[in-house]
Amino acid sequence: MRSEAMPYPNLNAWWACHLVSTLLERGVRHVCVSPGSRSTPLVFALENARQAGHVSLGITVHHDERAAGFFALGVAKASRQPVALVCTSGTALAHYFPAVIEASLTGVPLVVVSADRPLELRGSGASQTIDQHDLFGVHVRGSFELAAARPAAVAVRRMRATVSAALSRATGLDAGPVHLNVPFDEPLAPLADPAFMVPAGSPSLFGYNVEHGVAAGQPQPGFLPESEIEEILQDWAGCSGLFIVGPTDEPLPGLVNLAHQLGWPVWADVASQLRDHPGVVTTADLRARAEIHLPGQPVPRWVVQVGMVPTSSALSRWLENWRTRTIAPDAAEARWLLSVVPYPTRQDPQALADRTLAVELAPLFEHLLAKLALATHRPTHQVPVGPPDGQLEARLEAWSGFRSREAHAVHGACRLLPEHGNLVLASSMPIRYAEALSGRLPAGTRVIVNRGANGIDGLVSTTLGTAHVTRRPTLAILGDVAMLHDVGGLIGTREVETPVVFLVLNNDGGGIFSHLPVHRVEGLFEPYFGTPHGLNFEGAARMYGLDHHRTSDVADALNMVATGLMTGTRATVVELMTDRSTERDAYRQDLADLLGLASPGEPRP
């Protein structure tokens, strides 16, 4: 008989408690659970751990596994900690797939824990039974099939070592999602089994040292050899250069300080976490457009692209143009492009980079800064890139001549965020408007984007996961199609205790396609790409008990956004009703006016 002091009513509960204990030891502090029978032992173990209070554990319940996946994604991005997802067997697991793909492409540590039927029931016609092993294929850093529970101390130690190894894969330098498949036989409910006894030599629930060389705690950061550090600094010394910082998960003050010491400008993407820094350029998209239309500006010899691929397509074209003018690499004026990424994957779709470094970003730039301070040869000059510093920023800051109501709304809404708030941007037109027009963001703004696969999946849920874990005012800017795609995710507002505003640019369809060549194909464009739906979100907001405001006036919409962020006690949906037939040309003219061009040319999103 087990001791009354032990929290194990039966074998499955004992097994699940050790699994959950290992997750907590390896840094998991939030779990998103979806209802189901087969996962009962895991739910019991989670609640047992929360009540025991060994660590602060947050548990949220989500009826829709797809929404759960993106809620967890938001929590993981905002907290920079691994987040677990728990579901029952069968097709429930498959609904995590879009969030897993996004997590894989952006290095986010999601830990998918799926309950399963025993192995022998696969292919037998048993209810809710599919082959779950390796379901996510190449989209996870590892897929781990656990053994069924058995009452042996060595078995639970091996299981815990496997779970710990999975967390090492999820949180290492090549961070990303992992999958743990956990079979459970009956009984599932935590009902007492008089025959069960805790095996002698079983590890304790907490403070367990994992065997087989898998060290507990976070993995050590990756660093470059000192010889490579010296080589980089020698290459950069005395050269003109430019840092282009794409979407990243953390601010990089060391990079900004290094750039200042080198005399190089920093072009900061709206999702770089640097748009609030006074020492960076916030108008890279406009500067790239200006250089494309008005060539002849001085160009740098070095470009260092940091993080993910930048949002701006104009910047990508600028880089390609810069590359096509590159003199042969063995010439004195050769140009070089270095891509620095936080995990080992190429962020260079145009294949322009001479070299890619996969290394932890913050330690690298802090170390380069420290080494530069000791260098005997310091950079002495800077080559400006684009219009004079401050000219475009000042023009944008004072701009009031917007023709596009959507662009005007995004420009204004980004300035309404309180300091240390969250800004969530959809991957269609909202992030493109913000990249070009947001300018400098309020201090401490955290920008969350799902730019791995660039889908519209789960944006509502990602927003609510972000707000839930940070407890900071959160503004999400999205289109009507993205809102429709995850409108059921609004149920997650009940997990949030901080102001959240959804600014929906409702142009009755897919506005981004109007910026693509297919918009010129009559008879095909509107039904298949424009996809008008004639809906608004008043009914959905009412269903979930949210505040809702619908308007066609930008000033009115911005006033509603400000009210929701500053005084809102629950989530608010603000709909700005616009017209797709005029927005495209209006935005083209806005860009031309800002750049002082006579003609806007053909924009690309």
Side-chain angles (χ1 to χ4, degrees):
M1 299 291 290
R2 70 176 180 89
S3 166
E4 289 299 318
M6 299 296 290
Y8 314 125
N10 57 39
L11 174 61
N12 281 336
W14 174 72
W15 193 257
C17 282
H18 279 288
L19 190 157
V20 167
S21 174
T22 312
L23 293 178
L24 300 183
E25 290 165 11
R26 298 308 302 268
V28 171
R29 293 296 179 266
H30 191 95
V31 183
C32 296
V33 175
S34 293
S37 176
R38 191 59 49 170
S39 52
T40 300
L42 295 169
V43 172
F44 165 77
L46 287 167
E47 183 59 25
N48 186 295
R50 178 159 68 174
Q51 292 187 16
H54 290 284
V55 296
S56 177
L57 174 63
I59 303 173
T60 51
V61 179
H62 308 261
H63 296 86
D64 181 339
E65 285 85 5
R66 188 187 63 83
F70 282 100
F71 190 98
L73 189 76
V75 172
K77 284 189 172 186
S79 67
R80 301 176 192 156
Q81 293 179 327
V83 175
L85 288 151
V86 171
C87 69
T88 190
S89 63
T91 56
L93 177 63
H95 291 284
Y96 291 149
F97 221 132
V100 166
I101 290 172
E102 179 64 27
S104 180
L105 291 172
T106 52
V108 177
L110 292 186
V111 184
V112 177
V113 184
S114 57
D116 199 359
R117 260 52 176 185
L119 175 63
E120 60 270 19
L121 290 182
R122 291 180 190 168
S124 69
S127 177
Q128 277 188 289
T129 304
I130 65 171
D131 188 346
Q132 298 178 190
H133 177 57
D134 205 23
L135 181 70
F136 300 112
V138 298
H139 300 289
V140 289
R141 301 297 186 264
S143 185
F144 301 82
E145 180 104 15
L146 301 184
R150 65 187 183 94
V154 65
V156 79
R157 289 200 301 272
R158 289 169 177 165
M159 180 269 285
R160 293 190 65 153
T162 300
V163 174
S164 185
L167 266 293
S168 291
R169 295 290 297 276
T171 59
L173 182 58
D174 185 19
V178 294
H179 177 206
L180 287 162
N181 196 53
V182 191
F184 289 109
D185 208 340
E186 301 286 349
L188 302 174
L191 302 176
D193 175 10
F196 176 64
M197 297 181 64
V198 175
S202 296
S204 61
L205 275 181
F206 294 92
Y208 176 62
N209 292 318
V210 181
E211 294 182 342
H212 308 298
V214 183
Q218 295 296 320
Q220 292 298 311
F223 288 103
L224 292 179
E226 285 299 314
S227 59
E228 292 196 47
I229 296 288
E230 297 285 354
E231 181 182 344
I232 289 173
L233 290 177
Q234 288 176 9
D235 287 342
W236 292 354
C239 288
S240 60
L242 166 67
F243 285 102
I244 297 176
V245 187
T248 62
D249 286 336
E250 58 181 335
L252 299 169
L255 182 153
V256 178
N257 292 331
L258 175 68
H260 177 72
Q261 293 295 320
L262 289 168
W264 294 7
V266 177
W267 286 8
D269 188 280
V270 69
S272 66
Q273 317 306 331
L274 290 176
R275 277 283 180 99
D276 62 339
H277 199 289
V280 306
V281 173
T282 62
T283 51
D285 179 86
L286 296 176
R287 287 165 181 268
R289 292 177 192 273
E291 167 66 14
I292 290 168
H293 287 284
L294 302 170
Q297 297 287 341
V299 292
R301 285 192 59 195
W302 273 93
V303 170
V304 182
Q305 180 178 302
V306 181
M308 296 183 65
V309 175
T311 298
S312 170
S313 60
L315 183 52
S316 295
R317 297 197 301 277
W318 181 90
L319 273 173
E320 193 161 9
N321 290 343
W322 172 81
R323 241 338 188 180
T324 59
R325 291 179 287 172
T326 299
I327 301 172
D330 57 350
E333 296 300 316
R335 299 176 192 151
W336 303 95
L337 177 61
L338 174 67
S339 174
V340 185
V341 295
Y343 40 85
T345 181
R346 188 166 65 93
Q347 294 290 315
D348 177 31
Q350 298 161 290
L352 301 177
D354 299 285
R355 185 182 180 193
T356 295
L357 294 180
V359 64
E360 285 197 45
L361 301 181
L364 171 66
F365 291 110
E366 293 289 351
H367 193 56
L368 284 169
L369 180 62
K371 295 290 289 187
L372 184 64
L374 300 175
T376 55
H377 180 68
R378 303 291 299 281
T380 57
H381 69 279
Q382 172 184 355
V383 173
V385 182
D389 285 347
Q391 179 179 313
L392 272 175
E393 284 87 344
R395 186 175 177 84
L396 179 60
E397 186 67 29
W399 191 256
S400 60
F402 283 102
R403 301 166 188 260
S404 164
R405 286 184 292 139
E406 293 182 359
H408 187 186
V410 174
H411 171 80
C414 289
R415 286 161 168 71
L416 294 175
L417 268 170
E419 291 187 356
H420 303 288
N422 301 314
L423 176 62
V424 184
L425 297 168
S427 289
S428 47
M429 287 309 296
I431 193 171
R432 289 167 170 84
Y433 289 138
E435 167 61 20
L437 305 173
S438 69
R440 204 164 305 283
L441 296 173
T445 298
R446 181 74 189 276
V447 182
I448 300 291
V449 296
N450 289 343
R451 292 291 285 172
N454 292 313
I456 60 171
D457 324 53
L459 197 75
V460 170
S461 300
T462 301
T463 299
L464 296 174
T466 298
H468 171 78
V469 73
T470 61
R471 301 184 183 275
R472 295 178 177 180
T474 301
L475 169 64
I477 306 177
L478 65 166
D480 49 293
V481 177
M483 188 72 172
L484 281 171
H485 198 276
D486 195 25
V487 71
L490 287 173
I491 196 172
T493 54
R494 65 185 182 180
E495 304 289 350
V496 176
E497 300 176 353
T498 191
V500 176
V501 176
F502 294 95
L503 174 58
V504 182
L505 309 178
N506 191 342
N507 52 37
D508 193 24
I512 192 171
F513 297 108
S514 297
H515 296 261
L516 301 177
V518 73
H519 83 274
R520 295 192 292 265
V521 184
E522 293 185 11
L524 183 70
F525 174 74
E526 198 60 17
Y528 292 102
F529 297 92
T531 58
H533 49 75
L535 301 174
N536 65 69
F537 298 97
E538 182 177 1
R542 187 185 305 116
M543 176 180 175
Y544 292 107
L546 313 182
D547 292 331
H548 175 269
H549 305 277
R550 185 168 69 254
T551 182
S552 298
D553 181 74
V554 173
D556 190 24
L558 292 177
N559 182 58
M560 297 169 182
V561 169
T563 300
L565 286 172
M566 300 304 295
T567 63
T569 57
R570 56 183 180 176
T572 303
V573 177
V574 177
E575 281 189 84
L576 177 65
M577 311 302 290
T578 65
D579 185 350
R580 272 189 295 113
S581 66
T582 61
E583 277 294 323
R584 171 182 171 272
D585 290 340
Y587 183 50
R588 289 175 63 189
Q589 193 61 56
D590 283 338
L591 294 175
D593 291 345
L594 276 165
L595 295 173
L597 302 174
S599 170
E602 182 67 19
R604 290 159 74 175

